[in-house]
Amino acid sequence: MTRYGHKTSKRMLFAYCMLGGGIFLFTPPSVTGKLQLAYARVFRGPLETGHDITLAGRIPLAANTVDSADYTRLMTIQRRLRNHVANLQAQLDEAHRQIDTLAGLRSVPELNRMKLQPAGIINDPGETQTILLVNRGQKDGLAAGQFVIGDYSVIGVVSDVSAQTARVKLITDPTSKLPVRIARIEAKGVMRGRGPGEAVIPEIYAKNPPKVGDQVYGHKTPGFPGVPIVTAEVVESKRSPDNARVWEITVRPVCDIANLPEIHVVIPGK
Amino acid sequence: MRWFRFAVLIVVATILQTSFLGAVWVVSPNITPNLLLILLVFFAIHSESNDAVIASFVIGFAADLASPAAGLMGPRIISFGLFGTLLSTLQDVISLRRLPLQGLAIFVVGLLTSILSCLLAYIRPGPVAISAAREFFWQPVLSAFIGPFLSLPIAWLMRMDEKSRRRRRHRPRR
């Protein structure tokens, strides 16, 4: 018996596929983002294992002269302590200011009123990425806009959430904006991401010049803990040609995001 | 084309690309070979023309799915599909089965797909974070060095090596 078959030509096949690609390209990110989160949810196990292996593989990088495991452990502790000290210092300054202005009012550590939800990273953050995928989602109380803390410093904001996974937009992402304060020079501005490992605070008004290494703290925003938390440090500052007191400051995160084992999401209203 | 094997291979490569490859680095921890690019060139060279078109777009879809850019899908589907199809058409004219030529093809296709993906990403509203040196140079170079050596085990896995082809050719027809 003769079998009548219909074979699509290469050109038609190519045209159909290109059309499909074009549809994906112009589909809203909220829809395509769900597809990406679904992929992360389905392959959560292997992706988590891969992240652990990647972290383990990077350990010898840091160690040159001492035992690599010890070196990495000590470096992590040192980094956390440095950020913790910076936070405590800022909290102390804030407390002094509050005591001076509102004599007698008791300050409550805001972080105690918030729940910190630990979450594991399931993609390889690397140094060039500005997005993290984490293994916690709506079921764990995560919602878009919540702040994310790594090594006691603010590293980003939850941008998309599915039932079991979420996407974190790092402070270095070009679409990220975070009100910040440089404590030493008492200057406030908005920090914007500028791609891998870098962010910028454009047009910040400051009487005193900022210095390399100055700590940058997250400033009061809805959902942000009421206490200052360090987020970045100054790496470069340029004076505006029009106004001597206006600066453009380049900063970098104080947290080694590429080697973070886990993060904490700040969930308000414990 | 053995589509089930192809699907498994793509899923494994996508997972490896997303999370495991960070542990395997040469120049810096952030510069890793692009396994999906290597697979794209392999299937464009070794498959029948219609199969090569489908494989190219599917690999592009996987690359977009594993992409770190939030909600950005489409640039790699289009760029991988376009250059995979062009390479498959070119394969009908010039044989690219020699390993050095495969390496060269991986580098050129890697460079072109990166450029087109970036251009398409800029069409979408909102800024995009791109490390130019990594995307346009290091990743294609590294993939070009590793790709030709991976093509042998991939050909064996997909039963696309010469031995399997010869066996299929001499199998008696019913």
Side-chain angles (χ1 to χ4, degrees):
Chain A
M1 202 165 87
T2 314
R3 193 175 158 194
Y4 295 98
H6 176 73
K7 199 179 176 191
T8 315
S9 72
K10 186 177 178 179
R11 271 187 201 172
M12 284 307 291
L13 192 61
F14 177 73
Y16 288 141
C17 292
M18 281 300 265
L19 185 66
I23 290 169
F24 269 111
L25 185 65
F26 292 104
T27 305
S30 55
V31 179
T32 47
K34 277 179 188 160
L35 259 178
Q36 290 174 326
L37 283 177
Y39 156 74
R41 192 175 63 238
V42 171
F43 298 107
R44 193 170 134 174
L47 289 174
E48 277 176 353
T49 313
H51 181 250
D52 293 343
I53 291 172
T54 303
L55 280 187
R58 282 182 185 155
I59 285 170
L61 258 184
N64 290 326
T65 53
V66 294
D67 177 43
S68 62
D70 277 350
Y71 182 86
T72 312
R73 191 174 51 80
L74 290 171
M75 282 299 286
T76 307
I77 293 169
Q78 188 259 349
R79 200 170 54 240
R80 284 180 180 172
L81 285 176
R82 193 187 61 196
N83 293 342
H84 192 52
V85 167
N87 289 340
L88 287 177
Q89 186 62 49
Q91 286 171 29
L92 190 65
D93 293 347
E94 183 73 23
H96 279 309
R97 199 166 21 249
Q98 284 180 4
I99 289 166
D100 288 345
T101 52
L102 311 163
L105 253 181
R106 189 166 60 93
S107 90
V108 180
E110 292 274 336
L111 267 181
N112 288 341
R113 291 201 290 113
M114 304 204 164
K115 182 187 168 191
L116 291 179
Q117 173 68 57
I121 301 164
I122 56 178
N123 68 329
D124 172 24
E127 278 168 23
T128 57
Q129 312 292 20
T130 56
I131 297 286
L132 294 181
L133 280 173
V134 296
N135 63 356
R136 293 279 182 266
Q138 277 168 340
K139 285 183 179 173
D140 308 288
L142 266 64
Q146 289 170 343
F147 285 88
V148 177
I149 290 177
D151 282 355
Y152 297 117
S153 66
V154 176
I155 60 166
V157 177
V158 175
S159 61
D160 297 290
V161 193
S162 73
Q164 290 174 340
T165 54
R167 197 195 306 273
V168 175
K169 188 194 288 179
L170 297 178
I171 53 171
T172 53
D173 189 89
T175 57
S176 160
K177 286 178 189 171
L178 180 69
V180 290
R181 184 171 67 87
I182 302 177
R184 195 186 63 78
I185 56 170
E186 285 302 323
K188 290 172 188 169
V190 177
M191 183 169 72
R192 293 159 196 264
R194 204 163 66 176
E198 220 175 62
V200 65
I201 313 171
E203 295 183 1
I204 188 166
Y205 181 85
K207 288 177 189 170
N208 303 316
K211 285 182 186 166
V212 172
D214 275 354
Q215 305 284 353
V216 179
Y217 294 89
H219 194 52
K220 285 159 191 166
T221 321
F224 193 82
V227 288
I229 298 181
V230 69
T231 179
E233 63 184 4
V234 175
V235 288
E236 193 190 348
S237 55
K238 274 189 277 184
R239 203 187 287 269
S240 163
D242 304 327
N243 188 338
R245 287 189 173 178
V246 175
W247 298 80
E248 184 183 301
I249 300 171
T250 308
V251 299
R252 68 162 170 240
V254 284
C255 171
D256 181 10
I257 295 164
N259 292 314
L260 262 185
E262 67 170 8
I263 55 152
H264 291 86
V265 181
V266 179
I267 299 176
K270 187 164 63 173
Chain B
M1 178 83 125
R2 291 163 190 260
W3 288 108
F4 180 73
R5 284 178 190 229
F6 171 77
V8 172
L9 190 65
I10 296 303
V11 168
V12 171
T14 311
I15 292 170
L16 286 175
Q17 190 68 47
T18 317
S19 62
F20 283 83
L21 269 193
V24 186
W25 55 272
V26 180
V27 185
S28 118
N30 300 306
I31 299 167
T32 53
N34 189 341
L35 288 184
L36 293 169
L37 171 67
I38 294 169
L39 288 179
L40 171 76
V41 172
F42 173 83
F43 285 108
I45 291 175
H46 291 82
S47 307
E48 303 291 328
S49 67
N50 276 15
D51 291 350
V53 176
I54 297 170
S56 303
F57 281 96
V58 170
I59 294 169
F61 178 78
D64 265 338
L65 212 55
S67 156
L72 187 62
M73 283 192 77
R76 285 180 186 80
I77 299 179
I78 293 174
S79 60
F80 274 45
L82 176 67
F83 290 110
T85 308
L86 282 179
L87 190 66
S88 130
T89 311
L90 186 69
Q91 165 69 21
D92 296 340
V93 184
I94 313 163
S95 175
L96 295 168
R97 297 211 170 190
R98 283 173 57 201
L99 293 187
L101 285 178
Q102 278 187 36
L104 184 67
I106 290 172
F107 175 73
V108 174
V109 172
L111 184 68
L112 294 174
T113 50
S114 300
I115 291 171
L116 185 59
S117 298
C118 290
L119 291 176
L120 289 170
Y122 279 117
I123 291 176
R124 293 273 295 256
V128 182
I130 290 165
S131 166
R134 173 179 175 265
E135 297 271 338
F136 298 149
F137 183 73
W138 286 113
Q139 205 168 53
V141 164
L142 207 54
S143 308
F145 274 108
I146 293 171
F149 298 103
L150 285 182
S151 73
L152 298 173
I154 297 169
W156 178 79
L157 271 173
M158 293 299 299
R159 297 288 181 266
M160 283 175 160
D161 54 332
E162 277 307 310
K163 212 172 168 183
S164 308
R165 278 170 195 277
R166 235 176 286 137
R167 205 178 298 149
R168 266 204 302 274
R169 222 174 286 148
H170 293 121
R171 197 180 290 160
R173 288 191 177 182
R174 287 178 188 175

